[in-house]
Amino acid sequence: RKIVLATGNAGKVREMASLLAAVGMDVVAQTELGVGSVEETGLTFVENAIIKARYAAKITGLPAIADDSGISVDYLGGAPGIYSARYAGQDGNDGANMAKLLNALDGVPAAQRQAQFNCVLVYMRHESDPTPIICHGRWHGMIAEQAQGDGGFGYDPVFWLPELNKTAAQLRPEEKQAISHRGHALTLLLEALRNG
Ligand code: ITT
């Protein structure tokens, strides 16, 4: 049975679809089924992921997996967090978002540039599933002084990994998957689906 990936973000689809297909899941992106975006009115990653999964399940009649994620910067009190996609305006422009973030940290020393990515994945069997599966992954790093690398998506070029001396955008897809917030959340989700 098909499962709809409840995201309009091509980067997320790339990172999730192949792994899910590899374990035999028949996944299809919501855009291929004509599902548009829904307003994310929640105050947490969990609430927004549920809103998106529920909406896609309702429109398609299929089980749905949604991803709500973002980057939280210590120096900014956790911003942009759930507002990461809209940090520099409604259109979710990666370049503008990164430019705004680098600007907000201009002159801030390395020791105060800690950040983390969070990813919440929600699996809903149907629109009114009362017990959605909720998985959370986290990834610690720092905000780079400038963007580097062209892999990944979103904020990856400014997410600096001191122990690897690289940004997330300088990792190969399988390297990112092994350590990222989304990779961790996906591992947990697959485990939960296997057990239940
Ligand atoms: P959907 O809601 O359709 O899934 P979206 O891009 O609007 O797409 P979010 O509301 O969850 O998704 O926003 C996620 C934000 O966090 C967005 O700015 C992404 O670029 C960023 N982000 C999430 N995971 C990331 C990753 O692995 N690398 C870089 N940036 C990431």
Side-chain angles (χ1 to χ4, degrees):
R1 179 133 183 264
K2 276 196 192 323
I3 297 173
V4 55
L5 274 183
T7 175
N9 182 316
K12 292 184 184 177
V13 173
R14 264 199 313 278
E15 292 186 6
M16 292 195 285
S18 58
L19 189 66
L20 295 172
V23 298
M25 292 169 69
D26 185 6
V27 289
V28 48
Q30 70 173 22
T31 36
E32 289 176 48
L33 298 172
V35 180
S37 61
V38 58
E39 202 189 344
E40 298 180 29
T41 53
L43 296 178
T44 61
F45 294 113
V46 173
E47 289 170 282
N48 283 337
I50 290 173
I51 288 169
K52 292 186 279 191
R54 183 185 290 133
Y55 181 72
K58 172 179 154 152
I59 303 278
T60 62
L62 297 172
I65 296 173
D67 167 315
D68 201 63
S69 45
I71 191 164
S72 298
V73 179
D74 290 3
Y75 184 80
L76 303 177
I82 64 165
Y83 304 108
S84 295
R86 307 166 248 174
Y87 189 44
Q90 268 311 328
D91 60 351
N93 179 303
D94 292 338
N97 285 339
M98 285 190 286
K100 180 168 175 178
L101 186 54
L102 290 178
N103 196 44
L105 294 192
D106 190 29
V108 174
Q112 292 176 59
R113 300 179 75 97
Q114 286 91 347
Q116 53 182 291
F117 272 122
N118 284 287
C119 173
V120 169
L121 294 178
V122 162
Y123 177 83
M124 293 189 75
R125 297 157 190 88
H126 52 82
E127 176 197 349
S128 48
D129 186 346
T131 59
I133 298 174
I134 300 170
C135 299
H136 176 209
R138 207 191 288 271
W139 193 15
H140 291 280
M142 304 181 70
I143 302 303
E145 296 279 349
Q146 55 186 39
Q148 277 186 74
D150 53 15
F153 70 97
Y155 291 87
D156 281 342
V158 297
F159 193 67
W160 174 256
L161 302 157
E163 63 281 9
L164 299 177
N165 200 20
K166 281 179 183 170
T167 68
Q170 293 173 308
L171 301 179
R172 292 192 305 272
E174 61 276 19
E175 289 178 310
K176 181 181 172 188
Q177 190 83 273
I179 55 177
S180 76
H181 53 319
R182 185 165 297 98
H184 290 309
L186 265 175
T187 301
L188 293 172
L189 179 62
L190 292 177
E191 208 171 278
L193 287 172
R194 254 198 315 274
N195 296 332

